[in-house]
Amino acid sequence: MAGWTLEDIAWTEFRADRVDPDLLAVAKAAAMVEHNGADYAVYLNNVFADDPAIKPAIDAWALEEVQHGKALARWARMADPAWDFDAAFRRFVEGYKLPLDATASVRGSRAGELIARCIVETGTSSYYTALAEASDEPVFAQICRKIAADEFRHYKLFYDEMNRYLERDGMGRLARVWTGLGRIAESEDDELSYAYYAANIWPAPYDRKTAARAYARRAYAVYRRRHIDRGIAMALKAVGLPATGALQRPIAALATAFMTRRAASLARAGA
């Protein structure tokens, strides 16, 4: 699946004077979440244990996720040579545990699991596009563009598999919407806040609210309406609703206003 490797990144074009400290902080957190793709593959392979058609795609997806983590970690170490990614990643996986012993989806069905994966890939594709456009550092921008393209392909992968499972799981539109909303609500769960803590705040004690606010202030600030428009359209499509038109526009407007105001409020509060 992968269309690039670490050797394809123009590392020699790195410009230390163009590194934004806020983007560096979220890149460190993102490196650990992405690098944890191997554990996600264990969970997904357990959920789809008797489906040989999807398992090679899951394994290929996980390899790309790990590569994303490696690229972001390498860039972060260039920007901050004192940062120890390996130590930070150990802290992260020790403090944030995935349900690796699960044999069924935590979403209640395989179709629900695939909807949740679509929502995640929607968010990451939009996020990395926003990061690329927000950065003046050329290497970071290049990495983020490549990751964003991968995440869009991952969305298409999980979307196609979702359609295969919707009928067999008997999942209606209301259940799809509920599952999608539930996964969106988890965007501020312990995964990102603990990754941000392990990368940027440790050795201070972990406080979920503090870490979540610090991450949100930096992450939300990079979004513009065009990124949110695209993300909302992809999310609506995943839950079986019209991706454009009268429904998409007001949702995107509300999401843009919320994220803009929250980023500004957290900045004023010194998050």
Side-chain angles (χ1 to χ4, degrees), residues 99-116:
L100 300 183
D101 56 349
T103 56
S105 172
V106 298
R107 311 291 166 188
S109 70
R110 292 178 176 181
E113 183 65 46
L114 292 164
I115 289 169

Side-chain angles (χ1 to χ4, degrees), residues 2 25 27 58 65 75 105 127 164 167 191 215 240 249 251 256:
I58 290 172
E65 295 293 295
W75 178 83
S105 172
Y127 181 47
R164 194 161 63 89
E167 185 173 353
E191 182 178 32
Y215 175 81
R249 286 192 296 270
I251 294 175
T256 302

